[in-house]
Amino acid sequence: MTVEAQAELVIDAAGETSDAVLSVRDLTTTFTAGGQRIEALRGIDLDLYPGRVSVLLGESGSGKSVTARSILRLYGASAIIGGSAVFEGRDLVGLNEKEMQPIRGSGIALVPQDPTGSLDPVRRVGAQIVEVLRLHGVVDSKKEAQARAEELLGLVGLPDPVRAARSFPHEMSGGMKQRVAIAIAICCNPTLLIADEPTTALDVTVQAQILDLFVELTSSIGSAMLMITHDVGVAKDLADHVSVMYAGRIVEQGATSTVLDDPVHPYTKALLAAVPTPDVPRGNLIPIIGQPPVSGMTLPGCSFAPRCPVAQSSCTELVPELVSVELGHSVACPVATEFGAA
Amino acid sequence: MTRFLLRRLALTIPILIGVSIVMFITIKITPGDPVASLLGPTGSPEARVALTEKLGLDRPLIVQYAKWFGNILQGDAGISIARQTGALGLVWDAMQNTLVLAGFAAILAMVVGVTIGLTAAVYPDSVLARVVSGFSLFAISVPQYSLALISIVYLAANLGWFPTGGMNDPSGEGGLGDLLHHLWLPGIASALVPLGIIARMVRSAMIDALNEDYIEALRSRGLPRSTVTRHAFHNAIPGILTIAGLQAGYLLGGVVFVETVFSWPGMGLLIFQSISQRDLPVIQAGVLLSALAFVLINLVVDTIQASIDPRLRR
Ligand SMILES: Nc1ncnc2c1ncn2[C@@H]1O[C@H](COP(=O)(O)OP(=O)(O)OP(=O)(O)O)[C@@H](O)[C@H]1O
Ligand SMILES: [Mg+2]
C-alpha cells in the first residue's frame, strides 16, 4: 500500500468520510417473504474510496451478496432496508426505483458471481454492451457505441474483439463471459465497482487472470472497488482494506496488513487458522467448531458467541459495537479489545 | 440456417408417409362399408362384388396402399365416392376455407392470449392479472359446443347480430366485410381454448424468464423495467411458439366441430360428412393434406424459433 493510502486510512479512523464515494452506515436488510423475518444484514458500516480495493470477506451465507444487492437496491418490496448508504451525496436507501436506475451501471456497477447468469442468452455480446452505453448516454451514436464496445472487449483481454462482439454468450467460455461482464461493468466508467465473488465459477488459472484484470482496471479508471470473496488468499493479494463479515455484521475491519496479519476478533483469528498458507501447512489447520447461525434465527448479543473460544456470559447479552483498536482498525468484540488481545 | 431448413424439410417426408400408413390402417379397421353406403340397402350381391373389385377393395391392404400412394405422387387422389368429382379438388377448396377460419382464430388466440399472459406475468398482483387469469381459465374450461350453440341461439338467431352459419352471404356481393361478419362467431368459438392455453403458457414462460439470473444482472446495469421485460419476452418467445404452433395445428383439426355447427364449408365439415358416407378417397386425401399443413406449421414455428434463439440452430 502506498504512503498516501496509509495516510487516508489514518483519516478514516478519525471518522472522516468526506472523500469516500460510498459511506454505508448501520445498513440493515430484513426479508419478510413467506411470513418469516430473516435479518440478513444487522448493521453494516463500510467506506469505499476511489482507486482503492476493499474486500468484504465472509463465509457462505454471511450476507455478502445481500450487502451488494441492498446497496444497489435490487430487492423489491420483500426486503426492508434500514440505515444509510450515501453515494455522491445521496442516500441510496431513500431513493425509489426510478431514481436508482441512472445510478446503476453508471455510478455503481456490479459484476455478478456467475458469468453465465449475467448475460442475456439470446443477444449478441456486443449488443448487450451497446445497450448499456446508449442507456447511460456515454456515446452519441450507434456506430460510436459499436466501436466503443469492441474497444472495451479488447481492453478486458479478449483476443478478437470484433468477433467477440458478434458472438452469443453460449459460444464463449466461462472466463470469456466473465471478461464480457467486466467490460459491461466498466463501460460507463463507474465511480464504484462491486464484484460479487467474480471468480468462483471459473477454474483456478483463469481466476488469477481475472483478478489481475480487476486490479489493473480499478487503478486505471480510478474507481473504488468492493471485492466480495470468501477467499482469504484473494483478500491478501488484492485488498487495501478488509471488512470481515459474520452473520450479517462486520466483526473486524481495517487495512489488510493489520487485519489479516494481526487479527484481533476471535472469528477472524479462527478464519485465518482454518485456511492453508505457505507457513501453515494443511495438516495444522484448525477448523472452526460449530455452524454459523441459521438464517432467520436472531441471537441476542454476539452471533459468534456460541462458537467462540473466549466467549463470556456477557457476550450473549449485548450486541458488540465496532470499536477502534488502533488507527484504521476496528473490532466488534469487547472481550478481545478489553483484554488487549491486539 | 439453410442446412437447418433443408434437414427439417427432408424430415417431413417420412412423417407424411407414416401418417398416411397409420391413416390407411385406421380406416380399414374401423367398421363400416363403403360399398354398402354407395349402393344403399337395395344393392344386389353381384353389384356389390363388381363394385368392390372396381374400387380395388378386394386386394391386399399393402397393394391398395401402394396403388393409392403411387397415384397421390402423381397428384391423383381418386374420385369422391359420394360426390363423383376429384377428391383432391374437394379437399383443396375445403382446406382453403379451413385455413381462413383457423388463421383468423389463431391470430385472435395469439394476440389476445399473449397480451393476457404478459399482463398477468408482469403485474402479478394487479386486479387486471386476476381478472385475466380467471378469463383464461374460463376460456379453457367452458365446453366449446355449449358456447357455440349458445352464441348461435342468442347472438345469431335471437339478436340477429351475426349470421347463423355459412361463410358468405348467398344473396350479397360477398367481399371481405361479409366474410368477417361470418367469421366472428366460429372464429371466437374456435379460438377460445387455444387462447386460454396460450395465455397460461405465456404467463408461466414469462414468470420463468423474469426469474432467470440475467434479469437481475440487467437491472443492475440500470435498464428500466420495460426494457428488462422486453429481454425476458425475447427469451420466452421460443417456448411460447412451441405451444402456439401446437395450438395452430390443433386449430386445423379442432375446427371440425365448429365447422359442423356453423356449417362452415371447411375441411372439418368435409371429413365429417365423408366419414358418415364412407367416402374413402376424400377422407384419405383430407387427412394427408391436414397432416401436411400441420407439419408445415411446425416447420415454420421451428424456423422462427431458430432465428430467435441461436442455441437452437444446430
Ligand atoms: N431474497 C432473499 N430472501 C430471503 N432470504 C435471503 C434472500 N437473499 C438472501 N437471503 C438470506 O440471507 C443470508 C445471506 O445470504 P447471501 O446471499 O448474502 O450470502 P453470501 O454471503 O453471499 O454467501 P455466498 O458466499 O454463498 O454467496 C442467507 O442466509 C440467505 O438465506
Ligand atoms: Mg453470495
Side-chain angles (χ1 to χ4, degrees):
Chain A
M1 195 186 309
T2 59
V3 178
E4 293 91 312
Q6 286 279 16
E8 272 173 329
L9 279 180
V10 172
I11 299 168
D12 306 349
E16 186 68 56
T17 57
S18 54
D19 61 342
V21 295
L22 180 74
S23 275
V24 177
R25 288 291 172 273
D26 198 28
L27 187 72
T28 56
T29 299
T30 308
F31 295 104
T32 54
Q36 188 193 12
R37 278 176 67 88
I38 297 175
E39 295 183 5
L41 301 186
R42 308 170 199 219
I44 301 288
D45 293 349
L46 279 176
D47 284 304
L48 304 172
Y49 295 92
R52 226 186 290 161
V53 179
S54 298
V55 157
L56 190 57
L57 181 66
E59 285 174 86
S60 184
S62 55
K64 306 183 296 291
S65 297
V66 174
T67 307
R69 293 198 179 104
S70 300
I71 290 170
L72 276 165
R73 301 286 314 284
L74 290 173
Y75 294 114
S78 66
I80 301 165
I81 300 187
S84 68
V86 177
F87 175 74
E88 294 179 336
R90 289 210 285 173
D91 184 4
L92 304 181
V93 174
L95 299 189
N96 63 29
E97 180 69 16
K98 271 252 140 44
E99 293 164 326
M100 276 308 296
Q101 276 165 10
I103 295 174
R104 295 184 192 135
S106 163
I108 306 177
L110 177 71
V111 178
Q113 179 164 348
D114 176 10
T116 307
S118 72
L119 299 172
D120 182 339
V122 303
R123 288 279 185 91
R124 287 179 204 277
V125 157
Q128 302 197 38
I129 304 179
V130 167
E131 181 175 39
V132 181
L133 287 169
R134 303 212 68 190
L135 174 77
H136 292 297
V138 183
V139 289
D140 299 321
S141 66
K142 197 153 193 171
K143 231 177 126 188
E144 192 192 335
Q146 192 64 43
R148 178 89 184 108
E150 283 163 12
E151 190 187 323
L152 281 160
L153 289 171
L155 195 67
V156 296
L158 286 169
D160 186 348
V162 180
R163 209 182 117 204
R166 282 205 314 266
S167 304
F168 286 100
H170 75 275
E171 295 164 344
M172 296 185 145
S173 70
M176 288 165 84
K177 277 185 273 195
Q178 195 58 302
R179 287 176 194 274
V180 172
I182 294 169
I184 296 176
I186 62 168
C187 76
C188 300
N189 291 320
T191 326
L192 169 61
L193 189 62
I194 302 179
D196 187 354
E197 307 202 40
T199 58
T200 32
L202 307 175
D203 57 42
V204 186
T205 46
V206 185
Q207 277 184 14
Q209 294 168 11
I210 297 279
L211 289 172
D212 286 345
L213 177 63
F214 265 113
V215 175
E216 209 182 293
L217 290 171
T218 353
S219 57
S220 73
I221 60 177
S223 54
M225 161 108 142
L226 178 63
M227 169 77 79
I228 292 173
T229 184
H230 61 262
D231 189 332
V232 177
V234 169
K236 275 195 172 144
D237 289 346
L238 301 185
D240 299 314
H241 187 269
V242 175
S243 300
V244 182
M245 197 165 177
Y246 186 79
R249 288 202 185 92
I250 306 277
V251 294
E252 179 161 9
Q253 66 185 182
T256 310
S257 50
T258 46
V259 174
L260 295 185
D261 294 343
D262 249 335
V264 173
H265 197 283
Y267 174 67
T268 317
K269 286 182 177 173
L271 188 66
L272 292 173
V275 176
T277 59
D279 341 316
V280 185
R282 223 159 242 288
N284 293 3
L285 296 181
I286 309 153
I288 308 178
I289 298 153
Q291 294 291 322
V294 189
S295 64
M297 196 170 79
T298 316
L299 298 170
C302 175
S303 313
F304 189 59
R307 302 168 77 187
C308 182
V310 299
Q312 300 178 351
S313 58
S314 61
C315 290
T316 53
E317 284 157 18
L318 220 71
V319 177
E321 300 270 329
L322 272 175
V323 175
S324 172
V325 289
E326 58 183 308
L327 284 181
H329 185 183
S330 339
V331 178
C333 177
V335 178
T337 47
E338 267 164 40
F339 296 97
Chain B
M1 203 64 193
T2 320
R3 265 192 54 204
F4 168 86
L5 262 177
L6 285 178
R7 218 179 42 229
R8 290 304 311 262
L9 267 175
L11 253 177
T12 60
I13 295 164
I15 293 177
L16 289 180
I17 294 178
V19 166
S20 65
I21 291 175
V22 170
M23 166 192 75
F24 225 81
I25 294 172
T26 314
I27 291 174
K28 290 298 161 185
I29 59 178
T30 41
D33 182 0
V35 175
S37 78
L38 258 184
L39 290 178
T42 54
S44 66
E46 294 77 38
R48 289 181 54 93
V49 171
L51 187 61
T52 307
E53 255 172 48
K54 185 174 163 241
L55 294 175
L57 295 175
D58 55 339
R59 318 274 279 280
L61 196 57
I62 180 105
V63 177
Q64 290 183 35
Y65 178 75
K67 188 155 175 283
W68 173 79
F69 195 73
N71 288 340
I72 282 284
L73 285 184
Q74 295 162 31
D76 174 16
I79 304 291
S80 160
I81 296 173
R83 298 165 206 233
Q84 294 303 321
T85 53
L88 205 60
L90 276 173
V91 161
W92 183 244
D93 289 345
M95 181 51 101
Q96 287 174 351
N97 294 344
T98 290
L99 284 178
V100 169
L101 177 57
F104 179 79
I107 291 171
L108 201 66
M110 271 303 270
V111 171
V112 181
V114 168
T115 311
I116 283 180
L118 272 181
T119 315
V122 177
Y123 305 101
D125 299 324
S126 64
V127 178
L128 188 66
R130 265 171 233 153
V131 172
V132 134
S133 354
F135 177 72
S136 65
L137 193 65
F138 163 81
I140 293 174
S141 30
V142 69
Q144 230 184 17
Y145 57 86
S146 63
L147 204 87
L149 292 174
I150 289 170
S151 65
I152 285 190
V153 169
Y154 286 99
L155 301 180
N158 286 5
L159 292 169
W161 292 353
F162 298 99
T164 51
M167 187 167 164
N168 295 100
D169 195 348
S171 63
E173 302 284 292
L176 202 63
D178 182 49
L179 179 63
L180 257 180
H181 191 50
H182 283 80
L183 258 175
W184 279 113
L185 288 188
I188 291 173
S190 318
L192 224 44
V193 172
L195 186 158
I197 293 174
I198 288 172
R200 294 170 77 83
M201 175 60 203
V202 168
R203 179 176 162 273
S204 76
M206 267 307 275
I207 287 176
D208 287 351
L210 285 168
N211 277 324
E212 293 283 342
D213 287 348
Y214 63 78
I215 293 297
E216 194 191 69
L218 293 175
R219 288 184 57 222
S220 79
R221 292 171 203 159
L223 297 182
R225 187 178 172 144
S226 54
T227 313
V228 174
T229 308
R230 214 166 50 231
H231 277 266
F233 186 58
H234 191 168
N235 276 273
I237 288 177
I240 293 169
L241 274 181
T242 305
I243 296 297
L246 280 175
Q247 293 307 311
Y250 156 88
L251 267 176
L252 273 187
V255 290
V256 177
F257 174 76
V258 172
E259 285 183 359
T260 315
V261 171
F262 289 93
S263 37
W264 187 271
M267 193 67 114
L269 190 60
L270 181 65
I271 291 186
F272 175 78
Q273 289 168 349
S274 302
I275 287 176
S276 43
Q277 293 159 343
R278 304 298 299 168
D279 195 344
L280 292 191
V282 176
I283 300 175
Q284 286 162 349
V287 171
L288 195 66
L289 195 60
S290 303
L292 180 65
F294 195 91
V295 170
L296 286 182
I297 284 176
N298 273 305
L299 181 66
V300 170
V301 168
D302 288 349
T303 310
I304 298 175
Q305 276 176 328
S307 68
I308 286 173
D309 190 337
R311 290 166 299 182
L312 299 174
R313 242 172 268 163
R314 295 275 155 84

